[in-house]
Amino acid sequence: MMRQAAGMLMQPHFFYGTLCHPPLLEAVIGRVPQLVPARLEGFAPHEACREGQGLGFPILIETPGAVTRGVVADLTEAEAERIAWYEDGYDAEIRELETGAGSREAKLWLPQADRWEVGAEWTLGDWAPKWAALKTEAARLFIAEAQAVGPDAANARYHAILVRAASILRARAAPMAQDLRRDLQDGDIKIDAQQTAYAKFFAVEDYKLEHRLFAGGMSAKLDRAAFVSGDASVVLPYDPVRDRVMLIEQIRTGPLARGEPNPWMIEAIAGRVDPGETPEEAALREAGEEAGITIARLIEAPRYYPSPGAKSEFVYSYIGIADLPDEAAQLGGKADEHEDIRAHLVPFERLMTLVATGEAGNAPLVVLALWLAGQRAALQRMAGVA
């Protein structure tokens, strides 16, 4: 099945799914090779799912009489190795395909048994509007991490990589307002080196960089590190009729690491924005998962970097209008994520006392409490109680 080209052996590969998207293929192997239309008989592409949720990529399912259309590309050994990194969860097989020039053997990737659930039939045209930009950005990040920490470690972090890719796309699509700040010009920042020092649930990246000085000229070469995590949504449920909020309580590793004697924290509902969802959808989902409540309406509050000197995290915050009767306070959290959460219903005045005493000692809750203080009268008037 090997072909000789320009003094090197080329390996034919059949792509039937997301790697048929040229920008994504380029992100994985570094170029767009010649893509020859081909078809595979006896298989149909379906979306891979987990717990009923589509994952945004296809798997081939043996289906008598079906035909899967894709492309064949001849890859170098190094490119084939990158494809193998990317196709975690699949097993490679050699199959005979039909092309316009006749039959041809090529390597393709079939899903490992019972790895994923089988969803609806998958097409590139349906996939591209929602997933193409995200998966392409994630592929670039994945290859960089695989080269830095190894493909096994990068695949173990693939969901976190997707989360980061989605954050990057949101930052590009809706950058922070620029009025008072420096008017950024080409060459104002020069990154000389960028390395991944740690990569598990979160990542730490080391940078060597220079930047333009306010007084003119460039800075010295600086060593800087960033704690990399995805965007988060935070929502403070508020019942304007009863004039109370819902707070949650859970143990937190950050205060524990600092030496806080009691690391159980009083917080607003919060969670990462998952790949393929909006910050608003994440806020509504987290309200259900962490507290078992339904938010009737989201009111946008400030968006911000909580610790820009060291963290990439960006927070979308909301006041969530909700019905909060006494029985709304209960235990919550997702068992499969080992969340152990207790909800509290607190009158607005007590919320402000918690802020004043420092017991509500985390930035997202403080920001939302102060924001609610400014919006409270209007929200009560809208509810007909003030």
Side-chain angles (χ1 to χ4, degrees), residues 246-249 290-291 328-332 341-345:
M246 174 178 281
L247 305 175
I248 62 169
E249 179 183 0
E290 293 194 350
Q330 55 185 299
L331 301 181
I341 294 172
R342 178 171 64 169
H344 299 272
L345 294 175

Side-chain angles (χ1 to χ4, degrees), residues 133-134 137 159-176 229-233 271-282 285 303 305 312-316 318:
L134 174 60
E137 185 64 37
H159 184 77
I161 290 172
L162 276 176
V163 169
R164 184 183 184 189
S167 300
I168 290 171
L169 295 181
R170 279 190 292 272
R172 290 176 185 163
M176 294 175 62
S229 57
D231 293 350
S233 283
R272 292 196 311 184
V273 183
D274 279 341
E277 70 177 352
T278 66
E280 293 81 6
E281 289 168 341
R285 173 180 54 76
R303 302 177 177 185
Y305 289 94
S312 69
E313 183 181 42
F314 188 78
V315 173
Y316 296 83
Y318 305 92

Side-chain angles (χ1 to χ4, degrees), residues 311-351:
K311 294 191 66 178
S312 69
E313 183 181 42
F314 188 78
V315 173
Y316 296 83
S317 62
Y318 305 92
I319 301 297
I321 303 302
D323 181 33
L324 299 176
D326 292 347
E327 58 269 22
Q330 55 185 299
L331 301 181
K334 292 189 69 177
D336 61 344
E337 295 181 7
H338 306 288
E339 292 180 334
D340 180 46
I341 294 172
R342 178 171 64 169
H344 299 272
L345 294 175
V346 175
F348 172 80
E349 295 299 339
R350 189 176 181 198
L351 168 64

Side-chain angles (χ1 to χ4, degrees), residues 16 40 42-46 59-63 66-68 121-122:
Y16 58 87
L40 171 69
F43 288 86
H46 289 254
I59 52 179
L60 281 182
I61 302 300
E62 195 163 2
T63 308
V67 175
T68 294
E121 288 194 24
W122 184 94

Side-chain angles (χ1 to χ4, degrees), residues 237-238 246 269 284-295 320 322-324 328-330:
Y238 175 61
M246 174 178 281
I269 294 167
L284 298 176
R285 173 180 54 76
E286 290 290 347
E289 291 176 357
E290 293 194 350
I293 63 170
T294 299
I295 301 295
D323 181 33
L324 299 176
Q330 55 185 299

Side-chain angles (χ1 to χ4, degrees), residues 110-122:
L110 296 175
Q112 296 170 356
D114 301 322
R115 180 67 180 260
W116 297 290
E117 301 166 10
V118 179
E121 288 194 24
W122 184 94

